[in-house]
Amino acid sequence: MMSFEISLPPWAVEENQLLPKFIPDYEQRMRAVIRFAEINLDKKTGGPFAAGIFEKNSGEVVGIGVNRVVPANNSSAHAEIVAISLAQKKLSTFDLGGPGMPDYQIVVNGRPCAMCCGALPWSGIRSLVIGASGERIESLTGFDEGAVHPNWQQELESRGIEVIENVLTEEAEVVFQRFRDSNEPVYNGRSGDDLQ
Amino acid sequence: MMSFEISLPPWAVEENQLLPKFIPDYEQRMRAVIRFAEINLDKKTGGPFAAGIFEKNSGEVVGIGVNRVVPANNSSAHAEIVAISLAQKKLSTFDLGGPGMPDYQIVVNGRPCAMCCGALPWSGIRSLVIGASGERIESLTGFDEGAVHPNWQQELESRGIEVIENVLTEEAEVVFQRFRDSNEPVYNGRSGDDLQ
């Protein structure tokens, strides 16, 4: 009882194995990430979010993770946390920005929430590529993305993380529109509360 | 390779088993949490941080978790994330604030960082009890707590989470002073960067 484990669903393990070793183009990286988010929604294996970790310059694929909150009974199992954790395990380090490491990039289909924005500086990630904006996620889906810092881009940049927004935004938003039209849960905490 | 696991160290599993079933008093809850942080530092099983989850009104103990970043090679394995994840596993829910649940409280020896502040609303936690301030953690230890929202207390309160600060502050700060005087790593990301 004093440990917990978070796993990718079987389809995502297979899809990771089928990815090319390198995806040089940022839009192609985003397209792969959006596809994982879409399948995660279709297969009902988590929320409509995915995150991929890539070696920024070469495009070498480290892995793509997906949101696992509901199936894993874990409110912190957002795609970014899952992808960063799997990458850190694969590379045997808690700091992807450690000595001798290349620059690693995280590619996400939607702007990271307050938790995941906060997770990035700790992770050693050096580059963030975003599809849909936080405002669009909230208006399309009903998720409350939390108290993201008003100057989150500058706060990340000042910690050595470049921020690249609006990559394949329309394709990214389609998944959130499909989520809105599904009956999948909007799993903000406190569902027993009248704040909901 | 497509899953990751985070465990408490053996001493913390034992110490959890030795806790009373109920700790009614908030200061006593904080004292237990500070003790876990202190042991975590002494045994070198993670950073100087612990977090306990309690049923707020009765004081029933759900469990106390500790920081596992360095031993687990996982930059998200902060005490709060570990404690919330273990509690959600134990109670078989991703939402500690779900229908029919009592109010759950998290007690931390230091103000949660940006990531962990962001994790609280998703978790369903209804009450946050803090020992040392974020400013004191940063000045004593050198950790960069990230881009915490300037009005983080109000942002949490507006999401139904009460915030209680300055509980056993001096006792909490002693652990951070001891951390400063140790040679344990300050594991901000990007240790390969001259930002560090």
Side-chain angles (χ1 to χ4, degrees), chain A residues 23-32 129 166-168 171:
Chain A
I23 306 182
D25 182 72
Y26 287 13
E27 289 199 353
Q28 292 299 335
R29 294 178 200 175
M30 180 64 77
R31 195 160 279 126
V129 175
N166 299 312
V167 174
L168 294 187
E171 294 180 38

Side-chain angles (χ1 to χ4, degrees), chain B residues 27-44:
Chain B
E27 290 200 350
Q28 292 298 335
R29 294 178 201 174
M30 180 63 77
R31 195 161 279 124
V33 167
I34 291 172
R35 188 161 164 273
F36 272 67
E38 193 169 35
I39 301 176
N40 208 37
L41 175 58
D42 286 347
K43 301 258 190 197
K44 303 183 192 301

Side-chain angles (χ1 to χ4, degrees), chain A residues 3-161:
Chain A
S3 69
F4 66 96
E5 184 174 21
I6 295 178
S7 309
L8 291 189
W11 68 261
V13 176
E14 280 173 43
E15 290 288 341
N16 264 287
Q17 288 160 351
L18 293 172
L19 289 170
K21 189 166 161 56
F22 295 90
I23 306 182
D25 182 72
Y26 287 13
E27 289 199 353
Q28 292 299 335
R29 294 178 200 175
M30 180 64 77
R31 195 160 279 126
V33 167
I34 291 171
R35 188 161 164 272
F36 271 68
E38 193 168 35
I39 301 176
N40 208 37
L41 175 59
D42 285 345
K43 301 256 190 197
K44 302 184 192 301
T45 47
F49 304 97
I53 312 284
F54 301 89
E55 198 281 285
K56 180 184 154 189
N57 294 319
S58 72
E60 184 166 359
V61 179
V62 180
I64 299 181
V66 293
N67 177 292
R68 295 290 281 158
V69 169
V70 174
N73 274 337
N74 189 311
S75 61
S76 304
H78 287 203
E80 295 91 332
I81 304 290
V82 171
I84 289 168
S85 297
L86 292 173
Q88 291 176 335
K89 180 180 172 191
K90 185 172 182 177
L91 299 170
S92 301
T93 178
F94 58 87
D95 180 5
L96 298 173
M101 304 283 272
D103 288 2
Y104 285 103
Q105 177 179 77
I106 188 165
V107 177
V108 293
N109 61 316
R111 199 277 317 276
C113 77
M115 173 179 72
C116 295
C117 281
L120 295 180
W122 295 113
S123 74
I125 284 281
R126 308 280 187 140
S127 175
L128 167 63
V129 175
I130 298 171
S133 71
E135 292 70 19
R136 288 292 282 162
I137 296 174
E138 292 192 328
S139 66
L140 286 170
T141 65
F143 284 113
D144 170 9
E145 296 288 295
V148 175
H149 194 286
N151 302 315
W152 60 275
Q153 294 102 324
Q154 296 96 309
E155 292 286 336
L156 290 174
E157 298 268 5
S158 75
R159 291 172 172 87
I161 301 169

Side-chain angles (χ1 to χ4, degrees), chain B residues 102-123:
Chain B
D103 287 1
Y104 285 102
Q105 178 179 77
I106 189 165
V107 177
V108 291
N109 61 317
R111 201 276 318 273
C113 77
M115 173 180 71
C116 295
C117 281
L120 296 179
W122 295 113
S123 73

Side-chain angles (χ1 to χ4, degrees), chain B residues 52-195:
Chain B
I53 312 283
F54 302 89
E55 199 281 285
K56 180 185 155 189
N57 295 320
S58 72
E60 185 168 358
V61 179
V62 180
I64 299 181
V66 293
N67 177 292
R68 295 290 281 158
V69 169
V70 174
N73 274 337
N74 189 310
S75 62
S76 305
H78 286 203
E80 295 91 332
I81 304 291
V82 172
I84 289 168
S85 297
L86 292 173
Q88 290 176 333
K89 180 180 171 187
K90 186 173 182 174
L91 299 170
S92 301
T93 177
F94 59 88
D95 180 5
L96 298 172
M101 304 283 273
D103 287 1
Y104 285 102
Q105 178 179 77
I106 189 165
V107 177
V108 291
N109 61 317
R111 201 276 318 273
C113 77
M115 173 180 71
C116 295
C117 281
L120 296 179
W122 295 113
S123 73
I125 285 281
R126 307 281 187 140
S127 174
L128 167 63
V129 176
I130 298 171
S133 71
E135 291 72 18
R136 289 293 281 162
I137 296 173
E138 292 193 328
S139 65
L140 286 170
T141 66
F143 284 112
D144 170 9
E145 296 288 295
V148 175
H149 193 286
N151 302 315
W152 60 273
Q153 295 101 326
Q154 296 96 305
E155 292 286 336
L156 290 174
E157 298 270 5
S158 76
R159 291 173 172 86
I161 301 170
E162 70 170 356
V163 178
I164 302 168
E165 298 181 81
N166 299 312
V167 174
L168 294 188
T169 305
E170 289 182 21
E171 294 180 40
E173 289 182 358
V174 167
V175 181
F176 298 120
Q177 289 157 358
R178 290 189 44 220
F179 175 82
R180 175 197 58 196
D181 299 335
S182 75
N183 287 312
E184 293 304 301
V186 177
Y187 48 76
N188 292 318
R190 312 177 308 282
S191 63
D193 198 277
D194 54 13
L195 285 170

